[in-house]
Amino acid sequence: MMEQLTQPVIEVKGVGEARAEELIELGIQSVEDLLLYFPYRYEDFKVKELTELKHDEKATLEGKVHSEPSLRFFGRKKSRLTVKVLVGRYLITVVFFNRAFLKKQFSIGQPVTVTGKWDQHRMTLTTQHVSFGHQEKSETIEPIYSVKGEWTVKRLKKVIHQALNQYAESIQEIIPYELKSQYKLLDRKDAIRWLHGPISHQHLKQARRYFVYEEFLLFQLKMQWWRKLEKEKTAGVKRAFDQEKVHSFIKSLPFPLTGAQKCVTDEILIDLGSPYRMNRLLQGDVGSGKTVVAAISMYAAATTGLQSALMVPTEILAEQHYDSLTQLFANFNVSVELLTSSVKGKKRKEVLESVMSGEVDIIVGTHALIQDDVTFNELALVITDEQHRFGVNQRKVLRKKGMNPDVLFMTATPIPRTLAISAFGDMDVSTIDEMPAGRKPIETYWAKHDMLERVLAFIEKELSKGRQAYVICPLIEESDKLDVQNAIDVHAQLQHFFNGYQVGLMHGRLQSEEKEEVMAKFSKNNIQVLVSTTVVEVGVNVPNATVMAVYDAERFGLAQLHQLRGRVGRGEEQSYCILIADPKSEVGKERMQIMTETNDGFELSQRDLELRGPGDFFGKKQSGLPEFKVADLVHDYRALEVARSDAANLIYSKTFWESDPYKGLRDWLLLQVNQWDDKLD
Ligand code: ADP
Ligand code: MG
């Protein structure tokens, strides 16, 4: 039976060679692909009462033609056809553009059903779609498919219906009865049918519900099983670090760890000491103190005589980490080195040699760490900071420089749990959800451009107290295309405005030595105002800076704004973040509003996700997010949690591996193995 669905789509009646070719364009090769090619939305043709309609909304109305239609041409091919239609007690106007041929089809008194956009003020419906006579009930919800090339929705619908006629009976159930009845889910067969042709909203909802669960369950089974295999495969890499030394290092820190830091440190140390390879995501808001957790972990590795690498996205950050680690380890017998592309010639050779010989315990660096000529003696722990900045491959290259090293990814972009368990379903997640004591929350304000003078006056007041400020612009220099502030112009203006103060300029096009020089001056307070692009976004630490002003703030994502805001509030003084923005859209306004309302990165990221959807959240390219046909990571997150825990239980249960009703799921899972070679290596 199963084979039937894997047959080429040409087996469907009415699909010849040419059509089959065209279907490939839509990613459809087999009968099954066709059956699972679901509508991406539905149009509701349910007839409504006039009183139910809202302005500007799409609606379907039923009425009677009241008078002769009138047709007017304008331009060469354009026309406007107007018909008065009586709907209940009201006379409305129905307008068609460029549908002159319809004129002949209207006759007075005839019942018509029209669907279009409703203009409440003019009592007018603008439409493309009319059907004459009374409507059939079953037609009220129209599936809309995404089509390309030769295909129209209508043609595709026909082919899908034909496929359903021929093959619906061959559709096999995947989810066992036990689970389906537990969640009151439809049969797969019906869910597929109803998604293509729902006869009511209730049906549609049920059909979606089935597939949301199926998609999440399959996806999670894959993840959970992969994790299980990973754990079994890497059994035996146990690092017996020196507990006592690690504790005395923690005691030596200039501050006590926060509760959250303690928890995540324990989680990591347990992983390090366990025979499994660690694969862990450490998330914590900007300033929550991830670096010290990394330091403890690397120190633990060093007590076993093994090496650790800390990879960061920028040189500035690498240097900062290098400095703070050197300080933290000043009284401990740990050798730390720095490797970036600025480390050249003889120094570079020395560093590479000492990394190879094992003399170096901890190496901090940028992408320079993953160059071919970097060889480790024995790399036991790999940490990446701001992990979202690295592609999957870069992380993998570094990991491969060791023998099954433990891996820790750190990120200050808090990822909502739904996304974390989707994009990183193969990882354990540790979260620092507590800030070191005594931090003053940053006050955030949203100002329109016309308040710029007041904003600058405010900054000047802070400067006069001896504080420093960042001013962020979206662009480096003037652009013909975008009417937004650029760092070079703003720098020139502010130099003029803040006379008596040094105003520095920083952007990604400066040489790295130039950047360093500017940054060093800002650190030493030789520069008071730093005009910059987002290159300062990551990690930079200047506690005396108390103002972060962002021009054209609506152009940045919430997560990015939050990162920028995290550059201030690092010292004793009250800090401020000022967002200068005139967002046009409601969403844009809401985003600015949210920034002023919360300092909590997790809350922000959750709300950003709700506003922008999961695709935009990571930026499309390297999201690593699975694609679902029906399920939606944001709206269906509860189902995801349920499916995740079901999957985890199943993978370790005898029933799943042995009992008959689970064969469908099992077979599906085993089929996936081939596709994993890449991931498993
Ligand atoms: P992030 O998580 O953004 O990388 P950092 O590790 O840079 O944060 O820490 C931010 C600042 O907080 C640093 O100056 C660090 O020394 C300090 N810090 C870290 N942990 C604590 C703590 N438990 N108590 C007080 N200060 C801390
Ligand atoms: Mg950090």
Side-chain angles (χ1 to χ4, degrees):
M1 290 287 254
M2 271 299 258
E3 287 86 320
Q4 292 212 29
L5 295 189
T6 57
Q7 291 182 67
V9 71
I10 200 161
E11 298 295 324
V12 176
K13 284 196 195 99
V15 177
E17 291 213 0
R19 289 237 177 143
E21 283 288 308
E22 289 162 21
L23 279 171
I24 290 178
E25 293 264 298
L26 302 178
I28 299 170
Q29 306 208 10
S30 66
V31 173
E32 185 171 28
D33 294 340
L34 183 62
L35 291 177
L36 298 182
Y37 194 80
F38 295 133
Y40 74 98
R41 67 182 178 90
Y42 296 84
E43 232 157 59
D44 186 356
F45 285 94
K46 197 175 97 189
V47 175
K48 291 198 174 143
E49 300 291 324
L50 267 191
T51 49
E52 294 176 77
L53 300 191
K54 293 200 188 84
H55 180 63
D56 251 9
E57 215 175 58
K58 195 159 187 188
T60 298
L61 290 172
E62 205 174 60
K64 283 194 171 124
V65 178
H66 182 73
S67 52
E68 283 295 324
S70 85
L71 177 63
R72 191 173 322 150
F73 284 93
F74 51 97
R76 265 206 323 143
K77 283 187 193 146
K78 298 192 174 122
S79 70
R80 178 188 153 104
L81 180 69
T82 329
V83 191
K84 295 279 183 206
V85 173
L86 191 65
V87 178
R89 294 181 294 117
Y90 300 93
L91 201 55
I92 68 158
T93 309
V94 176
V95 177
F96 299 85
F97 285 100
N98 311 324
R99 289 282 184 282
F101 62 89
L102 285 174
K103 182 169 191 275
K104 289 189 290 248
Q105 299 179 30
F106 286 96
S107 55
I108 293 175
Q110 180 190 31
V112 288
T113 308
V114 282
T115 301
K117 199 165 149 189
W118 177 240
D119 183 331
Q120 181 79 39
H121 313 305
R122 299 196 168 84
M123 294 285 278
T124 297
L125 192 81
T126 305
T127 175
Q128 300 278 350
H129 192 286
V130 58
S131 62
F132 299 96
H134 287 289
Q135 250 207 171
E136 281 172 45
K137 255 234 141 65
S138 63
E139 294 274 316
T140 55
I141 303 171
E142 277 288 313
I144 307 294
Y145 297 88
S146 104
V147 286
K148 270 195 246 173
E150 302 294 307
W151 287 96
T152 61
V153 173
K154 210 167 152 186
R155 272 180 67 190
L156 188 63
K157 240 184 246 179
K158 228 168 121 183
V159 173
I160 290 174
H161 277 258
Q162 180 55 41
L164 281 169
N165 285 341
Q166 274 174 265
Y167 292 96
E169 291 311 313
S170 313
I171 296 170
Q172 300 252 326
E173 296 302 309
I174 291 186
I175 300 186
Y177 175 76
E178 199 182 344
L179 285 171
K180 275 193 298 198
S181 78
Q182 182 184 346
Y183 298 120
K184 301 197 171 56
L185 296 174
L186 295 178
D187 281 346
R188 186 166 208 259
K189 193 188 306 169
D190 292 330
I192 291 178
R193 268 208 194 107
W194 292 1
L195 278 177
H196 288 298
I199 50 178
S200 73
H201 283 280
Q202 193 53 32
H203 282 75
L204 183 57
K205 208 169 138 192
Q206 290 302 323
R208 274 200 80 243
R209 217 171 138 260
Y210 171 86
F211 265 101
V212 167
Y213 184 74
E214 180 189 297
E215 288 190 306
F216 282 159
L217 183 70
L218 295 182
F219 163 60
Q220 284 295 327
L221 271 178
K222 208 158 80 173
M223 286 294 191
Q224 303 292 336
W225 197 38
W226 185 60
R227 276 174 74 151
K228 182 166 179 271
L229 293 184
E230 268 279 322
K231 289 199 166 172
E232 285 162 2
K233 190 168 76 85
T234 60
V237 211
K238 190 168 163 177
R239 328 258 185 227
F241 59 87
D242 189 328
Q243 301 262 8
E244 243 163 69
K245 279 190 181 168
V246 172
H247 281 196
S248 61
F249 175 64
I250 294 175
K251 276 210 209 101
S252 81
L253 293 171
F255 41 73
L257 294 182
T258 62
Q261 281 172 322
K262 272 188 209 143
C263 283
V264 302
T265 304
D266 284 346
E267 286 169 346
I268 293 166
L269 291 181
I270 287 171
D271 274 2
L272 292 180
S274 86
Y276 305 123
R277 186 171 87 190
M278 174 168 74
N279 192 29
R280 187 172 282 280
L281 180 71
L282 172 60
Q283 44 175 357
D285 217 334
V286 186
S288 62
K290 294 183 292 297
T291 314
V292 68
V293 173
I296 297 167
S297 316
M298 294 192 290
Y299 182 67
T303 65
T304 65
L306 302 174
Q307 295 172 299
S308 305
L310 172 59
M311 182 161 80
V312 302
T314 66
E315 288 198 15
I316 297 175
L317 199 53
E319 279 152 27
Q320 236 170 50
H321 275 327
Y322 173 74
D323 290 342
S324 50
L325 291 175
T326 323
Q327 265 174 38
L328 288 174
F329 293 126
N331 300 320
F332 292 79
N333 187 19
V334 176
S335 136
V336 186
E337 276 294 350
L338 175 70
L339 188 65
T340 66
S341 43
S342 312
V343 178
K344 290 186 187 121
K346 190 159 157 259
K347 177 66 188 168
R348 183 179 159 86
K349 228 175 125 200
E350 276 170 28
V351 171
L352 290 182
E353 268 163 23
S354 56
V355 168
M356 186 144 70
S357 71
E359 210 177 298
V360 167
D361 299 304
I362 295 173
I363 179 111
V364 182
T366 53
H367 299 86
L369 288 181
I370 56 175
Q371 307 297 309
D372 283 342
D373 58 353
V374 183
T375 313
F376 289 84
N377 183 309
E378 191 168 357
L379 180 61
L381 173 62
V382 168
I383 303 181
T384 58
D385 196 9
E386 311 300 342
Q387 71 87 26
H388 62 286
R389 289 290 188 102
F390 296 104
V392 176
N393 284 335
Q394 290 172 322
R395 301 191 302 238
K396 194 153 130 188
V397 174
L398 183 55
R399 203 179 72 210
K400 286 199 162 174
K401 288 192 180 279
M403 289 284 292
N404 277 331
D406 286 309
V407 181
L408 182 69
F409 303 100
M410 304 201 293
T411 179
T413 307
I415 302 159
R417 190 175 153 76
T418 17
L419 291 198
I421 65 180
S422 311
F424 309 105
D426 52 331
M427 289 185 202
D428 294 303
V429 178
S430 292
T431 302
I432 306 184
D433 53 5
E434 180 186 357
M435 285 292 188
R439 291 272 165 81
K440 290 199 182 76
I442 299 158
E443 287 178 25
T444 301
Y445 300 99
W446 165 25
K448 303 273 174 66
H449 276 116
D450 58 14
M451 291 159 71
L452 189 59
E453 292 223 353
R454 280 174 61 192
V455 172
L456 296 181
F458 178 84
I459 296 176
E460 191 162 27
K461 212 173 104 206
E462 284 293 300
L463 298 178
S464 73
K465 290 190 226 159
R467 308 282 102 77
Q468 291 163 273
Y470 296 94
V471 176
I472 306 297
C473 303
L475 291 183
I476 298 177
E477 60 190 353
E478 200 172 345
S479 142
D480 333 329
K481 293 192 200 86
L482 295 169
D483 183 24
V484 297
Q485 299 292 332
N486 68 79
I488 291 173
D489 283 357
V490 169
H491 175 245
Q493 287 156 16
L494 295 189
Q495 249 175 339
H496 183 71
F497 190 93
F498 295 126
N499 63 45
Y501 297 101
Q502 293 302 313
V503 181
L505 174 64
M506 164 109 134
H507 54 70
R509 234 183 277 153
L510 297 182
Q511 296 296 315
S512 53
E513 296 95 68
E514 295 174 291
K515 274 192 240 170
E516 263 161 58
E517 203 185 312
V518 176
M519 220 40 237
K521 279 187 183 160
F522 190 62
S523 281
K524 290 190 208 121
N525 199 0
N526 293 337
I527 287 175
Q528 285 76 45
V529 180
L530 183 62
V531 178
S532 173
T533 56
T534 54
V535 287
V536 295
E537 174 194 339
V538 169
V540 179
N541 192 19
V542 180
N544 189 46
T546 56
V547 183
M548 166 60 66
V550 185
Y551 278 71
D552 296 305
E554 74 273 16
R555 302 189 61 85
F556 300 99
L558 285 185
Q560 204 175 15
L561 287 175
H562 186 61
Q563 284 282 334
L564 287 169
R565 178 165 65 184
R567 297 307 110 222
V568 297
R570 304 193 144 234
E572 304 284 302
E573 311 298 330
Q574 177 61 52
S575 287
Y576 307 89
C577 172
I578 304 168
L579 307 172
I580 306 161
D582 292 300
K584 306 250 166 1
S585 68
E586 283 310 307
V587 171
K589 287 175 192 158
E590 194 169 339
R591 291 171 60 227
M592 293 304 112
Q593 195 60 38
I594 293 171
M595 283 298 296
T596 65
E597 283 166 10
T598 181
N599 260 309
D600 178 338
F602 281 93
E603 190 182 334
L604 268 177
S605 71
Q606 182 62 40
R607 294 180 61 177
D608 201 17
L609 176 64
E610 284 159 14
L611 285 175
R612 294 201 295 170
D616 286 344
F617 189 84
F618 285 115
K620 293 252 175 342
K621 254 196 283 162
Q622 42 174 274
S623 78
L625 283 178
E627 287 191 16
F628 299 109
K629 288 175 193 282
V630 177
D632 176 321
L633 284 170
V634 181
H635 295 107
D636 302 319
Y637 70 94
R638 281 194 201 87
L640 179 60
E641 295 276 3
V642 169
R644 174 178 152 94
S645 94
D646 288 348
N649 291 334
L650 285 176
I651 286 296
Y652 287 93
S653 83
K654 236 177 127 137
T655 326
F656 176 75
W657 292 106
E658 288 170 13
S659 90
D660 255 3
Y662 286 84
K663 186 166 183 311
L665 272 186
R666 219 158 48 220
D667 287 349
W668 178 87
L669 187 58
L670 293 170
L671 240 152
Q672 305 299 311
V673 181
N674 308 335
Q675 299 163 23
W676 288 0
D677 295 349
D678 185 44
K679 257 198 142 179
L680 276 172
D681 65 3

